[in-house]
Amino acid sequence: MAEKSKFDVLVVGGGMTGSWAAKEFTEKGYKTLVLERGREVKHIEDYSTTNNAPWEYKHRDYDTKKVKGEQYMQSTKYNFDASSKQFFVNDKDHPIESPKNKPARWFRGYQSGGRSLLWGRGTYRMSDYDFKRNIQDGNGSDWPIRYKDIAPWYDYIEEYIGVSGTNEDLDHYPDGKFLPPFDMNVVEKEVKKKLENHYTDRKLVPNRVAHLTKIKPGQFYGRSECQTRDMCHTGCPFGGYFSSNSSTLPAAKRTGKLTLVSNTIVDSVIYDEEKKKVIGVKVIDSITKERSEYYARVIFLCASTLATTGILMRSKTATFPNGLANSSGVLGHYLMDHHKNIGGSGVMDGFEDKYYKGFRPAGLTIPAFRNIYSREKDFLRSYGVYGGAKREGINPDQVGIGKEFKEKLTRPGAWTMGLYAYGECLPYYENKVEMDEQKKDKWGFPILKITADFKENEMKMRKDMKEQVYEMLEVMGLKDIKVHDGTHIMGDSTHLTGTARMGKDPKTSILNSFNQSHDIKNLFITDGSCMPSVSYKSPSLTFMALTARACDYAVKEMDKGVF
Amino acid sequence: MERREAVIKISWILKSAFLAPTLLTVLQSCQDQVLSARELLVLSDDQDDLIIAIADTILPRTTSPSASDVKVDRFIDLLLQDVFEEDVKQKFLLGLLDFDKDCESITGSRFLELDTSEQYTYLEKIDKEIMEQEYDELVPFYYTFKHLVITTYFTTEQGVKQNLNYMPIPGAYVGEVDLKPGDKIIIGNRM
């Protein structure tokens, strides 16, 4: 194979974690290849819709029958619309399977930057309460790390990506290196007082989000402060929120050590049975379907939870007949997501002479308050509550017609406050992803079949979530309170995790405490698949931190000549 | 039963069909369409006229454009072709027909035959009856219609710029500003 195909490090996937790996290795001087199965999306120049006004879209925010036909799954995501659909896959080309009684969703962005263009930007540190849950209640395998192991890496990531938020001195919701928070509006300040006067165990705080609220000269190269357009899902030309495209990928490129190859799907990882190492990957060009191979000393799989799992399952060898690095047999199992779609809202009287300026792309959080210090409910684990207050905008669903009504429509309406909850899902062996060898996609790869659902523990938690949302809205002094209890579909929260988990014991886990394969020393996995539990917190910050930490470890091993 | 006492005929439409993306199976219409002189896609000229008349009664021309000034009717026509599933489209068109029949049975005239003030008086009554009630998943045609007219109007350039405080790049978020009498809703480019 030609020399141009040999690299120090090969990273599969140019999304949230892969781009961190690219940055870390290239900045240490290593020649790094990133293989991206989708197209390259360049910061600013490829944000094709970001300056469009609603009237510039033929169908405005409606998904046409054609779009719903092609993106039948992706179009169910909350931030999918005419302005963002180019960052989601075509479901017809990328089908998944799930049993009828266990529907599943897999939201995907196949492009450089991946779903970092589409994420909700919630940025939370897991605490030791989270890291110890599995060992405490006996579900899943113990995390091989504790907070002290990851805390410096949380610092490192937060300072680089920019996270706005407040320090709250809650041991289960660790403080961090924050930029100033977004303001709370007048109603939010009012309900915060009421909530915190009523409960001793709850706080209403600005959500921690990866937005640049304040920049000092020299910080955040190439990015500028958030302009509160709330257009994040179109790609931000200001770099106001963290995406790989605006931050880590350009940093890796600046080193001159990065090779980014797009439109290239990894078929499988090549394992050398004698050396007991991985030596490269087989790929297929997604457009020409031409096959080739790339080689490297170290391989990082950062393709996303399900994609990485699929690659390992396709990489069968004599030593690993059930999937590469899968001597434990847990590959594909313990799939988790957060369960959501429980929320409510109410109306706040008064404050009619107050408003706000800007479309704050972030809300508020009530960090978890259930089962933190001891088990106090009939379910295990916990949930977080999110929300915010705003004035009603254009309200067509009211009585009135004619001149005066038309004028009335243009006035800010009543203040409403909404809350919604996200709950933790236990790791269950039977929640799994596998390959359906009978059905192939257009590149000849077996389609992934997801068999997973939320179970009794999550259902009990949901009952409490709903009750507490109602109770807290009442405590906040709201009227006309409405709560809803919607669907709970695996994958709907876009936090699929857990199918190639870390652990202390090679018999029950795939990865060690440095995200290194127990079986194959020069193979690392740092995307969401590595998580033994998902906690109730959005996982992006944690797997970014785990990636940087794994890179640091791998660099030291490489420098020592271990691989 | 006397016509005047008849319950108003209401074509019910699933709220989710026009409010939010759904997972409905795609049904392609196989019907041949006769192109109208106005180059309408789905609507006939008569249907278009009726839509314009109702829409402009809801949102008349003031110092800012009326619903039809910004071609709300044409956007509804486009939605009927490209967005709504066949069954929703048929219910919508049936609802429009029923609306006119109801008008005729109650006032003695079709809506387009009423003068502007009569149209206002009639629609005000219908609007009150329908919009005062709460609905779950199914809503009456008029509810759908009004929702479409208003939301469409306020996604057009003139609808936004001549009625609201259009702020595509607000800058830093300010959590508390005073709202003075006459201040408008601030709106950006987020759909």
Side-chain angles (χ1 to χ4, degrees):
Chain A
M1 185 56 74
E3 195 59 30
K4 71 178 177 66
S5 301
K6 288 182 79 173
F7 295 86
D8 293 317
V9 183
L10 189 159
V11 179
V12 181
M16 188 83 83
T17 54
S19 301
W20 261 103
K23 172 183 147 13
E24 296 304 288
F25 283 116
T26 55
E27 287 184 347
K28 291 275 164 38
Y30 286 106
K31 202 177 146 197
T32 303
L33 171 70
V34 172
L35 293 173
E36 168 52 51
R37 69 169 295 159
R39 69 185 169 117
E40 182 174 6
V41 170
K42 291 201 181 78
H43 183 47
I44 304 177
E45 67 184 89
D46 289 326
Y47 301 156
S48 56
T49 60
T50 196
N51 292 315
N52 287 1
W55 48 86
E56 292 175 86
Y57 300 96
K58 188 177 176 191
H59 299 91
R60 313 279 160 81
D61 57 341
Y62 287 90
D63 300 334
T64 62
K65 287 182 276 190
K66 183 169 178 286
V67 167
K68 280 192 278 189
E70 288 170 352
Q71 294 177 290
Y72 49 82
M73 182 177 292
Q74 310 303 311
S75 60
T76 64
K77 193 169 187 293
Y78 73 94
N79 58 2
F80 179 101
D81 64 23
S83 70
S84 64
K85 68 182 168 64
Q86 69 278 9
F87 295 141
F88 289 89
V89 300
N90 181 327
D91 290 301
K92 281 188 167 169
D93 287 341
H94 304 281
I96 60 163
E97 274 187 71
S98 54
K100 270 219 161 63
N101 62 343
K102 294 182 181 180
R105 286 177 180 164
W106 185 15
F107 297 126
R108 282 155 288 168
Y110 286 162
Q111 62 255 333
S112 65
R115 289 175 297 190
S116 74
L117 288 166
L118 299 166
W119 68 313
R121 302 152 330 267
T123 308
Y124 315 101
R125 294 181 176 216
M126 288 174 66
S127 72
D128 269 340
Y129 296 96
D130 300 311
F131 289 116
K132 289 176 182 171
R133 283 292 177 234
N134 279 2
I135 191 74
Q136 279 173 352
D137 65 30
N139 291 281
S141 68
D142 190 18
W143 279 81
I145 59 167
R146 291 292 181 260
Y147 184 68
K148 65 175 170 46
D149 301 308
I150 197 171
W153 298 100
Y154 279 146
D155 289 352
Y156 176 65
I157 302 289
E158 284 169 352
E159 287 185 320
Y160 192 80
I161 69 175
V163 179
S164 70
T166 50
N167 285 323
E168 297 291 342
D169 196 26
L170 295 169
D171 56 1
H172 59 89
Y173 191 69
D175 290 338
K177 306 283 185 188
F178 299 136
L179 302 171
F182 283 110
D183 277 359
M184 292 171 84
N185 60 45
V186 285
V187 167
E188 290 167 344
K189 286 178 183 164
E190 174 71 11
V191 299
K192 175 182 169 74
K193 267 188 256 165
K194 289 186 169 152
L195 184 91
E196 294 177 4
N197 283 339
H198 183 88
Y199 299 105
T200 55
D201 61 348
R202 302 180 201 188
K203 274 186 163 185
L204 182 66
V205 304
N207 200 2
R208 293 170 180 173
V209 286
H211 282 259
L212 303 182
T213 46
K214 197 80 195 164
I215 300 184
K216 290 178 198 150
Q219 277 186 312
F220 306 110
Y221 184 91
R223 299 174 57 198
S224 49
E225 287 169 6
C226 175
Q227 300 297 302
T228 69
R229 303 187 314 150
D230 196 23
M231 300 279 286
C232 311
H233 56 305
T234 64
C236 183
F238 302 98
Y241 73 93
F242 169 79
S243 66
S244 308
N245 312 63
S246 67
S247 177
T248 38
L249 280 176
K253 277 189 183 170
R254 286 196 295 274
T255 64
K257 297 283 183 181
L258 174 72
T259 304
L260 173 69
V261 178
S262 47
N263 297 315
T264 300
I265 309 172
V266 171
D267 171 342
S268 53
V269 181
I270 308 165
Y271 179 67
D272 185 319
E273 299 274 355
E274 279 177 23
K275 291 180 187 156
K276 300 191 188 313
K277 280 182 181 177
V278 288
I279 56 169
V281 296
K282 294 182 178 181
V283 303
I284 180 168
D285 185 301
S286 69
I287 297 163
T288 65
K289 297 190 180 174
E290 194 180 326
R291 291 181 171 274
S292 56
E293 296 179 357
Y294 290 97
Y295 301 97
R297 289 161 65 189
V298 177
I299 294 178
F300 266 60
L301 296 182
C302 300
S304 86
T305 294
L306 296 186
T308 286
T309 305
I311 290 168
L312 292 172
M313 287 177 169
R314 294 201 291 266
S315 310
K316 288 174 182 165
T317 70
T319 313
F320 299 105
N322 300 316
L324 194 69
N326 187 27
S327 65
S328 66
V330 299
L331 181 69
H333 295 277
Y334 302 103
L335 180 64
M336 298 169 288
D337 187 21
H338 291 122
H339 56 96
K340 63 168 188 177
N341 290 339
I342 287 181
S345 63
V347 175
M348 175 63 96
D349 281 335
F351 303 96
E352 277 143 19
D353 58 344
K354 294 292 176 191
Y355 203 18
Y356 40 78
K357 184 175 89 64
F359 315 105
R360 190 183 58 192
L364 310 177
T365 310
I366 301 168
F369 47 87
R370 289 297 198 217
N371 299 331
I372 303 293
Y373 302 107
S374 62
R375 183 173 170 188
E376 57 203 20
K377 302 302 293 178
D378 64 345
F379 56 87
L380 298 167
R381 315 282 171 117
S382 202
Y383 56 86
V385 178
Y386 305 84
K390 62 174 172 45
R391 291 197 75 153
E392 287 293 304
I394 304 288
N395 176 14
D397 308 328
Q398 57 176 325
V399 174
I401 61 167
K403 199 176 160 185
E404 278 170 31
F405 173 69
K406 187 178 166 197
E407 174 68 12
K408 184 183 168 194
L409 284 172
T410 67
R411 308 285 177 205
W415 284 93
T416 61
M417 171 82 202
L419 292 177
Y420 56 95
Y422 265 68
E424 178 167 2
C425 167
L426 290 173
Y428 300 102
Y429 178 81
E430 60 270 36
N431 277 351
K432 63 184 177 182
V433 59
E434 56 203 330
M435 290 194 299
D436 183 343
E437 300 277 6
Q438 308 307 312
K439 292 187 185 160
K440 305 276 171 76
D441 67 15
K442 66 192 258 192
W443 297 275
F445 298 126
I447 286 170
L448 292 180
K449 181 180 177 186
I450 299 169
T451 306
D453 61 359
F454 298 111
K455 301 180 192 297
E456 193 187 348
N457 191 65
E458 290 78 39
M459 295 308 130
K460 284 180 181 165
M461 188 191 295
R462 291 174 75 76
K463 192 167 166 283
D464 190 58
M465 284 156 69
K466 191 175 176 182
E467 287 166 7
Q468 289 306 305
V469 163
Y470 188 88
E471 186 182 296
M472 289 191 286
L473 289 170
E474 263 193 329
V475 166
M476 288 172 173
L478 301 160
K479 61 169 200 183
D480 300 337
I481 296 169
K482 292 190 178 96
V483 291
H484 68 269
D485 178 352
T487 54
H488 43 82
I489 297 173
M490 190 64 68
D492 208 18
S493 298
T494 329
H495 295 156
L496 291 171
T497 40
T499 49
R501 67 189 186 183
M502 299 164 77
K504 291 171 180 162
D505 185 352
K507 290 195 189 69
T508 57
S509 60
I510 308 275
L511 306 168
N512 69 14
S513 65
F514 289 103
N515 294 70
Q516 180 183 32
S517 160
H518 288 300
D519 295 333
I520 305 164
K521 297 300 172 199
N522 65 337
L523 178 65
F524 292 78
I525 300 171
T526 68
D527 58 31
S529 61
C530 75
M531 298 180 72
S533 72
V534 69
S535 84
Y536 73 89
K537 297 162 182 166
S538 300
S540 299
L541 177 69
T542 294
F543 50 63
M544 282 194 269
L546 290 172
T547 302
R549 184 170 174 271
C551 291
D552 178 68
Y553 173 80
V555 161
K556 285 173 184 156
E557 296 290 282
M558 288 166 84
D559 289 347
K560 279 190 273 179
V562 177
F563 43 72
Chain B
M1 201 193 292
E2 260 191 51
R3 290 285 284 167
R4 277 170 189 268
E5 285 176 10
V7 176
I8 288 178
K9 286 174 75 173
I10 290 174
S11 179
W12 293 86
I13 297 178
L14 193 64
K15 202 171 182 179
S16 60
F18 68 93
L19 289 179
T22 61
L23 263 174
L24 296 173
T25 318
V26 180
L27 297 168
Q28 294 293 347
S29 168
C30 298
Q31 289 176 335
D32 289 326
Q33 289 168 1
V34 182
L35 282 179
S36 83
R38 300 180 195 178
E39 295 183 350
L40 290 159
L41 303 165
V42 171
L43 299 170
S44 66
D45 288 4
D46 287 350
Q47 288 168 326
D48 189 39
D49 284 339
L50 181 55
I51 287 176
I52 289 171
I54 310 169
D56 283 356
T57 309
I58 299 170
L59 299 178
R61 188 180 302 156
T62 53
T63 51
S64 64
S66 70
S68 67
D69 285 340
V70 296
K71 296 189 165 50
V72 163
D73 56 311
R74 297 306 176 99
F75 188 71
I76 291 175
D77 185 42
L78 182 70
L79 292 183
L80 289 169
Q81 174 183 267
D82 291 348
V83 172
F84 293 160
E85 301 297 337
E86 186 62 23
D87 61 332
V88 178
K89 178 175 114 183
Q90 294 305 335
K91 277 180 191 156
F92 186 90
L93 294 174
L94 183 65
L96 193 63
L97 186 69
D98 288 345
F99 175 92
D100 215 20
K101 282 185 188 165
D102 289 337
C103 182
E104 197 170 12
S105 67
I106 292 167
T107 69
S109 302
R110 295 178 58 196
F111 193 74
L112 281 165
E113 293 162 357
L114 301 174
D115 68 27
T116 312
S117 76
E118 288 168 339
Q119 285 177 339
Y120 181 89
T121 307
Y122 175 70
L123 194 66
E124 191 181 32
K125 178 175 168 292
I126 296 295
D127 182 86
K128 196 162 189 300
E129 276 174 28
I130 289 181
M131 301 310 293
E132 257 182 359
Q133 294 179 48
E134 297 236 344
Y135 302 96
D136 289 326
E137 283 161 13
L138 287 172
V139 293
F141 161 78
Y142 177 75
Y143 184 105
T144 313
F145 182 88
K146 185 178 185 184
H147 188 96
L148 283 177
V149 167
I150 293 171
T151 54
T152 302
Y153 182 82
F154 288 107
T155 54
T156 63
E157 184 166 11
Q158 295 315 314
V160 166
K161 290 184 176 171
Q162 295 201 35
N163 290 288
L164 306 173
N165 185 358
Y166 178 53
M167 208 181 272
I169 305 174
Y173 180 76
V174 182
E176 183 176 340
V177 297
D178 289 331
L179 186 75
K180 294 174 208 69
D183 282 354
K184 308 285 192 178
I185 288 170
I186 300 177
I187 195 166
N189 283 341
R190 175 81 194 245
M191 289 192 285

